[in-house]
Amino acid sequence: MPAYDAYTFASFRRSMTVLAGAAALTIPLAIMPLPAFADDYDATIQDIQKTMGGVPSFISQFPKAGLPGAWSELKNIELSDKTALPPKTKALISLAVAAQIPCSYCIWADTQSAKQAGATDQEIQEAVAMAALTRHWSTIFNGMQVDFETFKKDLGGEMSAAK
């Protein structure tokens, strides 16, 4: 297997996992006739090859009709350096989410991506701890059915970005 850029691989794998789940939810649409997407699919495979230096074997398991859109989303958000978040922040967020899902594939790949993007062990640990902390308090608030309006009032009302 070629050595893929860990960040690119993690991002692609995450998107494919999410999109495969979404595809499963759209099965009723499968009975509708769809136009052939062979040209888009072939161009996407070529772009993945060019970007990653190879095409991971799991790509053959992804629905051909969905691959062009999935790859485009991945490239334009996760892999782009023209977004609001830098790669390290994206990788740390993804790792924190992966730890909560949990997804062992994502955790491994996101850890590699975060390190490649310059994250320290302490930053990785803190991102995962923040995910755990958020999950903990979410469990408390939801399980105890804390009134949301009272909660907001207790914490100072509607907080604006202007503060």
Side-chain angles (χ1 to χ4, degrees):
M1 177 176 186
Y4 303 114
D5 171 275
Y7 179 74
T8 303
F9 178 75
S11 298
F12 187 68
R13 184 242 343 110
R14 263 191 319 280
S15 292
M16 295 301 106
T17 301
V18 169
L19 290 168
L25 296 174
T26 61
I27 290 188
L29 296 176
I31 60 172
M32 297 171 54
L34 297 172
F37 294 107
D39 292 342
D40 291 341
Y41 179 79
D42 292 341
T44 299
I45 292 294
Q46 289 173 2
D47 193 34
I48 293 169
Q49 170 74 37
K50 178 182 170 189
T51 303
M52 298 181 69
V55 179
S57 60
F58 63 83
I59 296 302
S60 65
Q61 294 176 275
F62 196 81
K64 288 183 178 186
L67 188 63
W71 178 247
S72 176
E73 180 179 50
L74 178 88
K75 278 188 76 174
N76 291 317
I77 298 173
E78 288 195 55
L79 302 182
S80 176
D81 60 357
K82 295 172 177 49
T83 64
L85 297 175
K88 181 170 83 170
T89 301
K90 293 177 194 181
L92 290 170
I93 290 169
S94 189
L95 174 59
V97 171
Q100 285 300 315
I101 292 172
C103 173
S104 57
Y105 301 90
C106 305
I107 292 167
W108 179 84
D110 292 336
T111 300
Q112 302 308 309
S113 295
K115 287 180 178 182
Q116 186 175 11
T120 65
D121 288 342
Q122 292 78 19
E123 288 172 318
I124 289 169
Q125 292 162 358
E126 189 171 318
V128 173
M130 282 301 305
L133 186 61
T134 301
R135 180 67 165 247
H136 167 81
W137 283 104
S138 175
T139 302
I140 299 295
F141 298 142
N142 285 291
M144 294 182 180
Q145 300 178 45
V146 171
D147 180 73
F148 187 54
E149 294 305 316
T150 302
F151 172 84
K152 290 191 299 187
K153 183 179 176 187
D154 289 347
L155 293 182
E158 294 290 332
M159 295 182 225
S160 72
K163 287 185 178 182

